[in-house]
């Protein structure tokens, strides 16, 4: 975004800026989106990291990539462990880059379902932090978020409490398929009546 660009401009050239773009692909359709890779020409101290673990569906294969100027990539190439990405993961990543249909399907589903989370929260008086990723953070203030998480777990639905960040009213929820989200909305609605 423009804010990020302004930020990088202010950072001294001797300080490296690393942008972790694990959720980059989910940004599609956002008109404020700027591809940070286009800034690499202007900023020699910029590093962009991306992964195949999220939108490409290859979590567990431990494969991703970074974009930076030649000076940085050549140093890292010398420092990285030999064969740090295995050949099967590389083959999967290359195939994933070609599978535009899968990526589009994943991103479209996520965008649509994220909108349903926003609507659900509005209808139930819950505040949802604006998200561009494949998860949402919902504020359950007035309810016991920890108990809600525990009860959902009993139903086989895993959501993530954020106590580690001292955010006791907030739960982080990964956006699933339509059916998975339907099930969550259904269970959650029942819980909100009593908890
Ligand atoms: C998933 C994720 C990554 C990268 O995950 P790998 O599986 O190690 O490629 C990096 N940053 C954030 C914030 C993530 O959520």
């Amino acid at each position: 975004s423009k804010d990020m660009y302004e930020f990088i401009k202010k950072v001294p050239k001797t300080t490296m800026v690393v942008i972790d773009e694990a959720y980059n692909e989910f940004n599609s359709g956002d008109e404020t989106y700027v591809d940070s890779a286009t800034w690499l020409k202007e900023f020699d101290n910029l590093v962009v990291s991306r992964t195949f673990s999220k939108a490409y569906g290859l979590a567990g294969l431990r494969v991703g990539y970074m974009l930076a100027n030649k000076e940085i990539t050549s140093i890292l190439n010398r420092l990285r462990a030999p064969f740090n990405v295995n050949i099967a993961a590389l083959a999967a990543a290359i195939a994933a880059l070609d599978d535009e249909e899968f990526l589009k399907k994943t991103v479209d589903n996520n965008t649509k379902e994220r909108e349903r989370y926003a609507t659900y929260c509005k209808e139930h008086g819950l505040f949802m932090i604006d998200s561009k990723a494949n998860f949402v953070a919902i504020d359950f203030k007035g309810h016991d978020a920890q108990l809600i998480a525990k009860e959902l777990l009993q139903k086989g639905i895993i959501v993530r409490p954020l106590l580690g960040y001292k955010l006791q009213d907030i739960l982080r929820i990964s956006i699933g398929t339509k059916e998975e989200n339907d099930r969550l909305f259904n269970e959650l609605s029942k819980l909100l009546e009593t908890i």
Side-chain angles (χ1 to χ4, degrees):
S1 72
K2 208 167 167 295
D3 292 346
M4 183 66 96
Y5 178 80
E6 293 303 325
F7 168 78
I8 303 167
K9 252 170 83 168
K10 282 186 193 143
V11 174
K13 298 286 161 251
T14 49
T15 302
M16 201 178 276
V17 177
V18 181
I19 310 181
D20 179 350
E21 293 195 341
Y23 301 96
N24 178 56
E25 292 78 13
F26 294 107
N27 245 310
S28 111
D30 174 4
E31 56 294 344
T32 65
Y33 175 76
V34 186
D35 186 350
S36 57
T38 62
W39 300 333
L40 290 166
K41 277 203 194 90
E42 187 176 345
F43 303 108
D44 279 342
N45 56 333
L46 178 63
V47 173
V48 177
S49 71
R50 293 180 184 162
T51 181
F52 286 93
S53 290
K54 305 285 155 61
Y56 289 102
L58 300 184
L61 285 187
R62 312 232 49 85
V63 56
Y65 60 96
M66 64 167 268
L67 306 165
N69 77 60
K70 265 226 164 73
E71 202 184 331
I72 296 172
T73 54
S74 93
I75 291 171
L76 276 168
N77 246 336
R78 277 174 272 154
L79 290 176
R80 71 178 175 87
F83 314 115
N84 62 327
V85 178
N86 77 65
I87 202 162
L90 270 181
I94 291 166
L97 284 174
D98 276 333
D99 195 349
E100 287 169 19
E101 196 184 321
F102 174 85
L103 185 67
K104 184 174 176 349
K105 215 174 97 187
T106 305
V107 173
D108 285 351
N109 172 75
N110 188 70
T111 307
K112 214 158 97 191
E113 294 299 310
R114 192 173 55 208
E115 200 44 55
R116 288 181 71 219
Y117 272 88
T119 305
Y120 180 90
C121 287
K122 235 178 242 157
E123 286 174 359
H124 291 78
L126 302 169
F127 174 72
M128 181 182 115
I129 298 174
D130 185 32
S131 167
K132 307 273 186 238
N134 65 343
F135 61 88
V136 295
I138 299 175
D139 192 336
F140 286 90
K141 201 179 276 136
H143 302 276
D144 183 341
Q146 303 313 309
L147 189 55
I148 287 174
K150 222 168 113 184
E151 291 295 324
L152 285 175
L153 190 57
Q154 295 293 321
K155 303 286 179 191
I157 299 172
I158 305 172
V159 299
R160 186 168 159 205
L162 298 175
L163 289 177
Y165 298 97
K166 295 199 162 63
L167 299 170
Q168 56 175 359
D169 291 329
I170 296 182
L171 296 176
R172 172 178 157 160
I173 302 175
S174 290
I175 299 168
T177 61
K178 179 181 185 304
E179 292 69 30
E180 288 166 340
N181 298 325
D182 282 343
R183 207 156 86 68
L184 177 123
F185 293 146
N186 184 38
E187 296 297 343
L188 192 54
S189 295
K190 286 190 266 178
L191 294 173
L192 286 174
E193 283 176 21
T194 50
I195 297 178

